[in-house]
Amino acid sequence: MAYYRTPHDVTTLPAWQALTDHRKAMQNFSMRDAFNEDPKRFDEFTLSSSGLFLDYSKNLITSETRQLLVNLANEVGLKDAIKAQYDGELVNASEGRPALHTALRRPVGDKLQVNGVNVMPEVHKVLNQMTDLVGRIHDGLWRGYTEKPITDIVNIGIGGSFLGPELVSEALLSYAQKGVRCHYLANIDGTELHELTSKLRAETTLFIVSSKTFTTLETLKNATAARAWYLAQGGSEAELHRHFIAVSSNNAAAVAFGIREENIFPMWDWVGGRYSLWSAIGLPIALAIGMSNFKELLSGAYTMDQHFQNASFEQNMPVLLGLLGVWYGNFWGAQSHAILPYDHYLRNITKHLQQLDMESNGKSVRQDGVPVNIDTGPVIWGGVGANGQHAYHQLLHQGTLLIPADFIVPIVSFNPVSDHHQWLYANCLSQSQALMQGKTRAEAEAELRAKGMPEEEVQRVAPHKVIPGNRPSNTIVVERISPRRLGALVAMYEHKVFVQSVVWGTNAFDQWGVELGKELGKGVYSRLVGTEESVAEDASTQGLINYFRGRHRG
Ligand code: F6P
């Protein structure tokens, strides 16, 4: 029987019980003391893989904690779960689908049977199709309706059909191919379309309608508006195929929209939206950085896939990160997790990981439909350092909440300016150091006295200067962001999310919660525009509808 059909109440497992006891024993654990007492702590809690270096020594852990967490991973059957996911078992039970984003990264010649069909030739066929398109556009052979080469690509898509491609194409700007600019149109807010099209010329713009389902409201509305804009700029229906292509698993809907069959890049229902940047959904990435760099991205992810599958759990980056999240969420009451990239090029990674993690692990029933009896996915938030230091880091340092954080930092800058990168790196390290060591009352007092402050003042001010410390963080260091290392980094987080879902027994690959808002949206829209006579079920929604209608009546 497949592992996902075997419901487990994780809280009854021996390792969970042992962790509960261990948590009590760790109540007075001090990271500061642990570093002072053990000069090898850094060596003990660091590892490298796939071009990434992970320092997880600034955590509320001992080697015993790690052992107990690894025991938990073993007791929930993580090894089998990883194999099941890689082998194409129906790990997405509520939709009866496999989750095979790892197949998209596998090399030519590999075999993988899904429903009796080897899907690998199809995966590589699409990569070849992408290579052909990218080559034609980069070589100026794909021409617009006035026979000019394409200069601008607009990806119309939302959620997973936007966030991953945006993250990667912008993170790898240093690898960008000259001559083609990539833009993203996601929101249904007309302002986004207006601002974007005002910078573009229809004759040299190619739109990629990127939607796995080809039913997503925002994407279809934007695609329709983009087509109207293209026609208003002088394009014709007959030349539409030069300016609109699609990536979708819904061929019929894309054709009905007006896209030529040969310009539709396939997607498969065994790839989830938030895991799809490795598929043809990554076309804007490939157009931005070229196909060989795109393949490097895939091979970086593949290296991480191998590490995840083969490394012992004690030496396994995604496993350790996932288990640390469980440790804080389920045993220390942490409800959120900060992602803090110290790299302008990685500024969008928080948004991507937000969807990846929160859409995957924002679940409250297990795979077998039984409600969970523990907390699951945390709120993922954060943003680029050093900016956050002058905004929300205050709460990280002195707020009442425990918020574990991941710092991500390169050691080499693509754009060295004086000693800026040294300062950026120093800022990153000093933040995790401050979170860990804090400042005691005695230190705060001594500091104030050293400034000559009268004792009465010292006592008044010192409590405000105390920093609790003992706040956990991971630091992920890369030499500098390259397609390979970025592939590994993103894949690492995908696997981390999966590890946690296996511990909780939840499905990381469905997203039914998103559907309710979509369904209700249709009713609200009909009431707003007056085609629906009945009133909304609640007075608040109806009141807000009336407010809108009142303004738009006259
Ligand atoms: O509404 C959420 C969602 O279903 C995401 O899971 C998905 O990434 C996004 O919408 C876009 O979906 P599609 O690619 O089908 O337009």
Side-chain angles (χ1 to χ4, degrees):
M1 186 179 278
Y3 85 93
Y4 57 87
R5 291 197 203 114
T6 316
H8 53 255
D9 177 352
V10 67
T11 64
T12 63
L13 296 175
W16 193 276
Q17 297 297 324
L19 280 162
T20 307
D21 295 339
H22 180 65
R23 164 67 182 86
K24 287 184 200 131
M26 290 288 283
Q27 184 58 31
N28 296 319
F29 175 81
S30 153
M31 269 192 259
R32 220 188 201 198
D33 292 348
F35 274 107
N36 288 336
E37 285 157 18
D38 180 6
K40 297 223 168 77
R41 187 172 169 86
F42 177 75
D43 298 334
E44 162 115 30
F45 297 113
T46 48
L47 70 145
S48 312
S49 172
S50 319
L52 311 181
F53 179 79
L54 168 65
D55 169 16
Y56 65 105
S57 61
K58 293 194 189 86
N59 275 292
L60 297 166
I61 57 166
T62 61
S63 47
E64 186 188 354
T65 323
R66 181 176 55 198
Q67 189 53 56
L68 294 176
L69 288 167
V70 165
N71 293 350
L72 180 66
N74 286 326
E75 287 177 21
V76 297
L78 180 61
K79 196 90 195 156
D80 290 346
I82 296 170
K83 182 165 171 11
Q85 193 215 115
Y86 281 40
D87 286 355
E89 281 194 38
L90 306 182
V91 293
N92 176 355
S94 75
E95 297 184 291
R97 292 176 185 167
L100 276 172
H101 39 287
T102 50
L104 303 170
R105 285 109 64 149
R106 285 169 71 156
V108 185
D110 263 20
K111 288 200 178 79
L112 177 66
Q113 301 290 124
V114 177
N115 296 328
V117 178
N118 177 15
V119 297
M120 293 313 300
E122 180 68 7
V123 166
H124 286 278
K125 190 174 141 203
V126 176
L127 283 171
N128 292 339
Q129 210 183 328
M130 288 169 69
T131 306
D132 178 57
L133 176 84
V134 171
R136 280 155 73 202
I137 290 179
H138 285 174
D139 294 345
L141 302 174
W142 182 294
R143 305 255 161 164
Y145 65 86
T146 56
E147 294 300 334
K148 291 195 179 130
I150 298 298
T151 55
D152 292 87
I153 309 288
V154 178
N155 187 79
I156 305 179
I158 198 163
S161 301
F162 158 51
L163 294 165
E166 182 200 43
L167 158 67
V168 177
S169 61
E170 295 195 0
L172 298 178
L173 210 60
S174 308
Y175 296 79
Q177 306 286 314
K178 304 247 174 325
V180 190
R181 291 175 292 265
C182 280
H183 314 269
Y184 292 88
L185 178 57
N187 202 338
I188 199 165
D189 185 336
T191 301
E192 198 172 316
L193 178 92
H194 169 79
E195 291 293 334
L196 179 59
T197 49
S198 64
K199 290 188 290 202
L200 298 173
R201 296 164 67 87
E203 58 179 342
T204 52
T205 299
L206 176 71
F207 291 94
I208 307 174
V209 187
S210 193
S211 175
K212 180 180 164 184
T213 56
F214 223 87
T215 59
T216 303
L217 173 80
E218 294 85 348
T219 301
L220 295 190
K221 281 282 171 193
N222 275 330
T224 305
R227 183 168 60 188
W229 172 80
Y230 153 83
L231 292 172
Q233 296 295 305
S236 69
E237 287 286 355
E239 306 293 352
L240 195 81
H241 63 278
R242 297 184 186 219
H243 296 272
F244 284 82
I245 64 171
V247 183
S248 185
S249 61
N250 186 349
N251 234 42
V255 169
F257 178 85
I259 298 192
R260 279 194 181 173
E261 196 132 16
E262 69 264 25
N263 290 337
I264 302 171
F265 290 74
M267 264 282 280
W268 307 277
D269 67 3
W270 41 263
V271 180
R274 52 195 176 273
Y275 298 89
S276 65
L277 71 90
W278 323 98
S279 70
I281 293 284
L283 251 183
I285 302 173
L287 284 162
I289 63 173
M291 208 53 203
S292 59
N293 283 323
F294 186 76
K295 287 184 178 166
E296 283 283 292
L297 179 84
L298 297 182
S299 75
Y302 178 70
T303 312
M304 181 54 70
D305 296 340
Q306 297 289 294
H307 167 74
F308 181 48
Q309 191 171 30
N310 300 324
S312 71
F313 288 167
E314 291 83 354
Q315 291 293 322
N316 195 311
M317 274 189 198
V319 171
L320 291 169
L321 291 175
L323 292 173
L324 284 167
V326 169
W327 177 231
Y328 294 119
N330 295 123
F331 296 91
W332 293 80
Q335 299 207 328
S336 81
H337 185 102
I339 302 287
L340 308 171
Y342 274 65
D343 183 352
H344 182 73
Y345 284 134
L346 284 180
R347 65 196 177 283
N348 292 317
I349 197 167
T350 310
K351 280 198 294 176
H352 176 64
L353 297 185
Q354 218 167 35
Q355 187 203 10
L356 175 67
D357 202 317
M358 294 173 78
E359 208 168 49
S360 299
N361 280 339
K363 306 293 162 61
S364 45
V365 297
R366 301 187 320 215
Q367 288 269 26
D368 59 344
V370 173
V372 293
N373 52 1
I374 45 171
D375 283 343
T376 59
V379 173
I380 303 293
W381 66 281
V384 77
N387 298 9
Q389 289 174 215
H390 302 276
Y392 43 76
H393 280 223
Q394 166 61 29
L395 189 144
L396 295 178
H397 291 295
Q398 279 191 311
T400 53
L401 303 173
L402 176 77
I403 304 178
D406 288 358
F407 291 88
I408 307 171
V409 64
I411 43 178
V412 179
S413 171
F414 278 102
N415 308 295
V417 175
S418 163
D419 58 356
H420 286 211
H421 195 66
Q422 284 79 348
W423 275 113
L424 184 71
Y425 196 78
N427 269 342
C428 176
L429 266 51
S430 60
Q431 286 299 302
S432 63
Q433 185 186 22
L435 285 168
M436 182 273 288
Q437 81 180 27
K439 187 183 285 181
T440 64
R441 172 78 185 229
E443 286 166 344
E445 286 182 8
E447 212 175 81
L448 295 171
R449 282 189 201 109
K451 285 185 183 151
M453 194 179 263
E455 192 54 29
E456 202 181 321
E457 272 291 276
V458 167
Q459 293 308 319
R460 192 181 67 77
V461 175
H464 301 279
K465 301 205 110 192
V466 172
I467 318 274
N470 227 19
R471 303 216 161 165
S473 66
N474 301 303
T475 303
I476 297 151
V477 184
V478 289
E479 199 222 16
R480 65 180 183 179
I481 284 300
S482 66
R484 227 166 221 281
R485 294 182 200 117
L486 184 60
L489 182 68
V490 176
M492 178 187 78
Y493 277 107
E494 291 177 349
H495 297 317
K496 172 203 164 176
V497 163
F498 181 64
V499 168
Q500 298 186 331
S501 74
V502 174
V503 171
W504 297 320
T506 50
N507 182 350
F509 304 109
D510 61 7
Q511 60 282 319
W512 296 104
V514 176
E515 299 305 319
L516 178 62
K518 289 187 193 169
E519 284 160 27
L520 295 180
K522 291 179 200 146
V524 172
Y525 173 82
S526 307
R527 290 182 180 98
L528 275 185
V529 298
T531 55
E532 169 71 60
E533 289 308 320
S534 68
V535 292
E537 287 83 19
D538 68 278
S540 165
T541 307
Q542 189 56 47
L544 294 167
I545 289 172
N546 295 345
Y547 196 63
F548 185 92
R549 288 183 58 134
R551 170 66 183 81
H552 286 275
R553 199 169 287 140

